[in-house]
């Protein structure tokens, strides 16, 4: 791959089309996932757990912002 | 033309390279160390302006230069990997002593369960507790087998701490969850700070078990078994990202490297960038490297030791076609397998009004910790994740650029920000969580097909992202750090269920605890090296470091890396004596 091709590849890769289950869509929310698919999402944990689409065994967690870096975990 | 053959050539002269060199040279072997960076010494010139935060912490004086060599990252196998063009998430060191110069000195032992993570999890929770795709495995060595080497590292480095378990006897005030030690730490624990005391009191109030974190920052003068004497810490607060001008922080340049040099049998070559091991598939013959002039040199040796940072150890094996490369699509192969990181997040912060602490003072490992939620120290039934992490509150110093924090809602710049900084600089406390990073089939290292370094060699490609297990672990951790913060009772609190971003993000510093890629184990089908860090396929090549971790634990890795280095040195000497075969 030459430099021009690399540049094109990089540009194309910078803005990929996000799939429906990409967690980027849910930043700041709680999501429920089952087998890699987002089955429900809500701003809060309680609302999510009350959602009838959510089943026992689903992975439930919040999706956060990129780290702010204040609390440093050190080498 | 090849250079004169030596007994041993070591690639990378940090903690691992220094420890192995000190052990081998004292046993009479002639050793050459190849260091890619400069040979920083202990002279005045090496430490002038040592508290220059801009130079060291922002402009990365002691770290790998990504303009010369970097890594590419993709979050999954279908994504195009792109280069990490600026340091952020992690900070590999370069120059003599490596990351051992700019570390903080937090020196933990992993838990006995960490070394048997797979069997312990299955035994307690059943196979179904391990999520699909997770690839945790046992280390092929037990805590009890490693204990003498942990002990040796701690006495060499002068680790300050308070034991919580000596030969099975639990001792309150130390870490009551730790594996049994053969004896007490060599140096008494650092004195608890006012911030540490607040954390300690709150944790005790909640029924947890606080203790002083183990530290390589000496609170008192110490003479180690090798005859090296170091002075006590001045609590300047410039450990992380900086060298220690008084030598109170143990680093390879103040401990093991001088011991090796004193024998007259250790030669270190700076600006020597190794890239491959010449071999015939069964025997390593020499190390190929670029010298300071960019000229290729060949150093033959009877024994070759890879002691560089995780990425460079793995890259050199892959470039040398040593060991079967790992294929994350199929899970077959070993070199590049089980790349892991450290799962941070879930911390809580608190601000006091009208109460000021001496935050400008501190040392890199001056902290109070609890271990109640690490490893399998708590019942995971019903939690939906395995693993855990350590919870700490540190007094590591508060530098003028990177340690400024304000309560939520404060303007990010301008007059209001300045007023808030003045008001809160000395009035903040933080509680952090450092979690495990399990291995997954699709998390791996390999050679990037597109991007190359300054010499034209392929970069390492990292495939990594956060998975549901860690997301749930961090959410849980956030509730615990918030609980502690509420018990501390500052005027303003920030915290709550912790969260990881949508994808692993390299732009902000998180941890220089990259691990795996050359895992150790008892099965050549799932590991690169045996329990003495000797390659299964090529017995005269040893690969040593955090690259050997089959998965990462909820602690800083250096104590375990040091223990592995001492064990490897023992294995190398056995191999040298026998002349062939696996140790």
């Amino acid at each position: 791959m030459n430099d021009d091709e690399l540049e094109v590849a990089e540009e194309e890769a910078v803005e990929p089309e996000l799939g429906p289950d990409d967690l980027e869509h849910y930043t700041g929310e709680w999501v429920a996932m089952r087998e890699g698919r987002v089955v429900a999402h809500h701003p809060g944990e309680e609302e999510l757990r009350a959602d009838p689409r959510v089943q026992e065994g689903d992975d439930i967690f919040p999706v956060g912002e990129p780290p702010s870096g204040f609390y440093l975990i050190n080498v | 033309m090849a250079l004169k053959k030596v007994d041993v050539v070591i690639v990378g002269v940090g903690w691992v390279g220094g420890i192995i060199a000190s052990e081998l040279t004292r046993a009479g072997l002639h050793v050459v160390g190849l260091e890619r960076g400069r040979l920083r010494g202990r002279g005045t010139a090496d430490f002038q302006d040592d508290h220059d935060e801009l130079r060291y912490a922002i402009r990365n004086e002691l770290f790998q230069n990504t303009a010369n060599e970097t890594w590419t990252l993709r979050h999954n196998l279908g994504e195009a990997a792109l280069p990490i063009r600026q340091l952020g998430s992690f900070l590999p060191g370069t120059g003599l002593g490596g990351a051992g110069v700019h570390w903080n000195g937090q020196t933990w032992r992993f838990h006995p369960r960490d070394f048997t993570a797979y069997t312990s999890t299955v035994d307690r929770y059943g196979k179904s507790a391990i999520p699909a795709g997770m690839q945790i495995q046992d280390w092929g060595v037990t805590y009890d087998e490693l204990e003498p080497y942990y002990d040796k590292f701690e006495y060499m480095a002068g680790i300050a701490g308070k034991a919580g378990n000596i030969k099975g006897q639990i001792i309150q005030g130390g870490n009551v969850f730790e594996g049994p030690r053969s004896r007490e730490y060599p140096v008494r624990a650092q004195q608890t700070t006012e911030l540490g005391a607040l954390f300690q009191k709150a944790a005790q109030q909640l029924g947890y078990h606080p203790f002083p974190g183990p530290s390589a920052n000496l609170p008192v003068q110490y003479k180690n078994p090798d005859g090296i004497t170091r002075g006590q810490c001045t609590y300047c607060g410039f450990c992380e990202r900086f060298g220690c001008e008084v030598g109170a922080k143990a680093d390879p340049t103040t401990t093991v490297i001088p011991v090796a040099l004193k024998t007259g049998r250790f030669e270190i070559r700076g600006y020597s960038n190794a890239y491959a091991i010449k071999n015939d598939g069964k025997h390593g013959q020499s190390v190929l490297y670029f010298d300071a002039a960019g000229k290729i040199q060949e150093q033959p040796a009877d024994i070759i030791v890879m002691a560089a940072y995780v990425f460079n150890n793995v890259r050199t094996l892959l470039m040398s076609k040593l060991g079967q490369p790992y294929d994350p699509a199929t899970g077959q192969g070993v070199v590049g397998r089980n790349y892991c990181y450290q799962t941070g997040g879930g911390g809580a912060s608190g601000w006091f009004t009208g109460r000021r602490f001496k935050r400008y003072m501190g040392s890199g490992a001056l902290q109070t910790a609890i271990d109640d939620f690490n490893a399998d120290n708590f019942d995971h039934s019903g939690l939906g994740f395995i693993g855990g992490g350590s919870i700490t509150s540190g007094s590591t110093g508060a530098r003028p650029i990177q340690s400024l924090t304000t309560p939520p809602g404060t303007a990010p710049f301008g007059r209001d920000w300045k007023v808030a900084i003045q008001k809160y600089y000395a009035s903040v406390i933080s509680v952090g969580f450092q979690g495990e990073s399990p291995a997954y089939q699709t998390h791996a290292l390999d050679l990037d097909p597109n991007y190359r370094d300054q010499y034209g060699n392929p970069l390492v490609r990292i495939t990594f992202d956060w998975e549901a297990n860690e997301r749930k672990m961090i959410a849980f951790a956030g509730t615990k750090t918030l609980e502690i913060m509420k018990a501390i009772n500052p005027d303003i609190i920030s915290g709550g269920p912790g969260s990881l971003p949508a994808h692993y993000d390299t732009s902000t510093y998180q941890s220089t605890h990259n691990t795996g890629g050359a895992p150790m184990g008892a099965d050549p089908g799932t590991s690169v090296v045996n329990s003495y860090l000797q390659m299964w396929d090529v017995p005269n090549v040893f690969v040593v470091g955090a690259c050997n971790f089959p998965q990462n634990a909820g602690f800083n890795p250096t104590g375990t890396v040091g223990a592995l280095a001492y064990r490897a040195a023992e294995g190398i000497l056995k191999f040298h004596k026998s002349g062939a075969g696996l140790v």
Side-chain angles (χ1 to χ4, degrees):
Chain A
M1 194 178 275
N2 62 35
D3 285 351
D4 289 342
E5 288 169 331
L6 268 181
E7 200 171 312
V8 170
E10 201 165 320
E11 280 173 8
E12 286 173 351
V14 164
E15 295 179 12
E17 195 172 319
L18 299 177
D21 297 305
D22 194 296
L23 295 176
E24 290 273 11
H25 297 298
Y26 310 106
T27 296
E29 290 192 281
W30 282 75
V31 301
M33 291 194 82
R34 191 182 313 141
E35 294 170 357
R37 311 294 303 267
V38 174
V39 293
H41 60 98
H42 285 279
E45 182 181 7
E46 276 184 32
E47 297 160 88
L48 181 66
R49 289 191 185 276
D51 190 316
R53 292 173 295 178
V54 177
Q55 296 176 7
E56 193 178 336
D58 288 347
D59 291 323
I60 294 175
F61 51 79
V63 181
E65 302 287 343
S68 67
F70 164 59
Y71 191 90
L72 299 176
I73 295 172
N74 305 302
V75 293
Chain B
M1 192 177 76
L3 299 164
K4 189 182 169 191
K5 191 176 185 182
V6 293
D7 294 323
V8 180
V9 58
I10 299 175
V11 176
V13 190
W15 269 126
V16 171
I19 287 169
I20 292 174
S22 74
E23 294 296 289
L24 302 190
T25 53
R26 282 188 290 179
L29 275 62
H30 287 84
V31 178
V32 163
L34 301 176
E35 169 52 49
R36 69 177 175 177
R38 74 182 176 100
L39 302 186
R40 179 184 167 104
R42 299 296 307 165
T44 303
D46 295 308
F47 290 95
Q48 63 179 358
D49 303 324
D50 203 37
H51 292 185
D52 183 340
E53 189 178 6
L54 191 62
R55 174 181 167 188
Y56 284 90
I58 311 292
R59 293 181 178 156
N60 305 322
E61 174 80 7
L62 298 176
F63 314 139
Q64 179 172 322
N65 184 347
T66 54
N68 297 332
E69 179 190 340
T70 186
W71 318 267
T72 64
L73 170 73
R74 57 180 180 170
H75 293 111
N76 57 64
L77 301 181
E79 200 173 86
L82 293 173
I84 300 171
R85 296 196 184 277
Q86 293 186 350
L87 287 175
S89 175
F90 48 82
L91 305 170
T94 195
L96 190 64
V101 171
H102 69 77
W103 72 317
N104 262 328
Q106 298 170 17
T107 314
W108 299 91
R109 294 180 177 199
F110 288 178
H111 289 285
R113 164 268 181 194
D114 293 330
F115 297 100
T116 56
Y118 177 77
T119 52
S120 295
T121 302
V122 171
D123 286 351
R124 185 167 179 183
Y125 303 106
K127 271 190 178 176
S128 61
I130 298 176
M134 188 184 279
Q135 194 164 259
I136 56 174
Q137 58 193 63
D138 295 351
W139 288 52
V141 71
T142 65
Y143 170 84
D144 288 342
E145 287 170 323
L146 265 192
E147 201 283 334
Y149 308 101
Y150 271 125
D151 180 81
K152 194 165 185 178
F153 179 73
E154 289 167 357
Y155 272 72
M156 175 277 294
I159 303 305
K162 168 74 179 159
N165 182 344
I166 297 179
K167 295 178 181 173
Q169 186 184 349
I170 303 301
I171 302 161
Q172 296 302 323
N175 182 4
V176 297
F177 296 100
E178 70 180 358
R181 296 170 175 275
S182 52
R183 53 180 170 166
E184 181 55 271
Y185 281 94
V187 180
R188 69 155 173 83
Q190 289 184 289
Q191 198 170 334
T192 306
T193 64
E194 192 177 359
L195 287 167
L198 287 172
F199 174 89
Q200 184 180 23
K201 186 179 170 191
Q204 278 170 337
Q205 198 178 308
L206 293 165
Y208 304 142
H209 301 83
F211 60 94
S215 168
N217 320 134
L218 283 174
V220 292
Q221 190 186 74
Y222 176 68
K223 184 177 182 179
N224 78 7
D226 299 332
I228 298 281
T229 300
R230 293 165 28 232
Q232 69 189 77
C233 181
T234 60
Y235 298 94
C236 70
F238 285 77
C239 284
E240 176 217 43
R241 307 187 184 208
F242 303 82
C244 179
E245 75 268 38
V246 299
K249 176 173 72 176
D251 89 45
T253 69
T254 58
T255 52
V256 286
I257 291 172
V259 170
L261 289 171
K262 198 177 171 186
T263 65
R265 288 185 285 274
F266 187 36
E267 180 195 346
I268 310 174
R269 296 182 197 144
Y271 298 114
S272 298
N273 215 313
Y275 66 93
I277 297 169
K278 203 170 170 181
N279 69 92
D280 61 8
K282 294 178 181 171
H283 185 82
Q285 295 149 346
S286 59
V287 171
L288 300 170
Y289 68 96
F290 292 95
D291 67 14
K295 188 179 167 192
I296 291 176
Q297 301 286 356
E298 180 178 353
Q299 178 60 63
D302 290 330
I303 297 170
I304 294 167
V305 180
M306 288 305 306
Y309 198 68
V310 166
F311 301 116
N312 295 78
N313 277 354
V314 173
R315 184 168 85 142
T316 303
L317 294 184
L318 291 169
M319 288 193 44
S320 309
K321 301 192 186 317
L322 280 174
Q324 190 188 350
Y326 178 67
D327 180 353
T330 65
Q332 299 300 305
V334 288
V335 181
R337 178 186 173 96
N338 284 22
Y339 172 73
C340 298
Y341 190 44
Q342 192 92 66
T343 312
S349 297
W351 292 264
F352 293 89
T353 301
R355 185 170 182 182
R356 299 179 76 79
F357 308 98
K358 293 174 181 166
R359 286 188 65 239
Y360 57 88
M361 291 181 71
S363 72
L366 181 52
Q367 59 182 352
T368 309
I370 62 166
D371 210 20
D372 299 62
F373 300 103
N374 200 354
D376 201 22
N377 299 339
F378 60 111
D379 186 1
H380 289 69
S381 303
L383 293 177
F385 66 89
I386 60 170
S390 47
I391 292 178
T392 58
S393 184
S395 297
T396 59
R399 304 192 303 263
I401 301 175
Q402 291 188 307
S403 305
L404 305 181
T405 177
T406 54
T410 305
F413 57 87
R415 184 180 178 280
D416 289 348
W417 178 79
K418 290 175 186 172
V419 168
I421 288 297
Q422 283 183 317
K423 184 175 179 182
Y424 290 112
Y425 166 79
S427 303
V428 61
I429 183 170
S430 67
V431 175
F433 175 82
Q434 178 170 230
E436 291 180 32
S437 178
Y440 292 87
Q441 183 187 316
T442 55
H443 294 183
L445 303 177
D446 66 356
L447 296 178
D448 190 280
N450 298 321
Y451 294 94
R452 293 176 180 271
D453 70 6
Q454 62 177 329
Y455 300 112
N457 290 322
L459 300 181
V460 163
R461 177 170 63 178
I462 303 168
T463 306
F464 181 81
D465 207 352
W466 305 119
E467 304 289 351
N469 184 82
E470 295 78 83
R471 295 181 184 281
K472 290 186 280 186
M473 179 176 72
I474 287 295
F476 173 81
T479 64
K480 296 300 171 187
T481 59
L482 179 63
E483 179 190 36
I484 295 169
M485 189 56 74
K486 283 179 176 171
I488 291 171
N489 196 28
D491 297 291
I492 303 168
I493 290 176
S494 170
S499 59
L500 291 164
H503 297 289
Y504 168 55
D505 183 311
T506 62
S507 63
T508 305
Y509 184 73
Q510 290 152 71
S511 171
T512 309
H513 302 166
N514 315 82
T515 67
M520 62 191 294
D523 176 3
T526 57
S527 58
V528 173
V529 292
N530 67 13
S531 77
Y532 283 94
L533 301 319
Q534 181 183 27
M535 285 196 79
W536 293 110
D537 306 334
V538 193
N540 77 322
V541 176
F542 290 74
V543 186
V544 191
C547 63
N548 304 132
F549 296 5
Q551 55 274 331
N552 201 8
F555 280 139
N556 304 62
T558 303
T560 301
V561 169
L564 292 178
Y566 275 113
R567 184 172 169 91
E570 190 181 298
I572 292 165
L573 289 171
K574 282 182 186 173
F575 175 79
H576 183 259
K577 198 173 174 184
S578 69
L582 293 168
V583 178

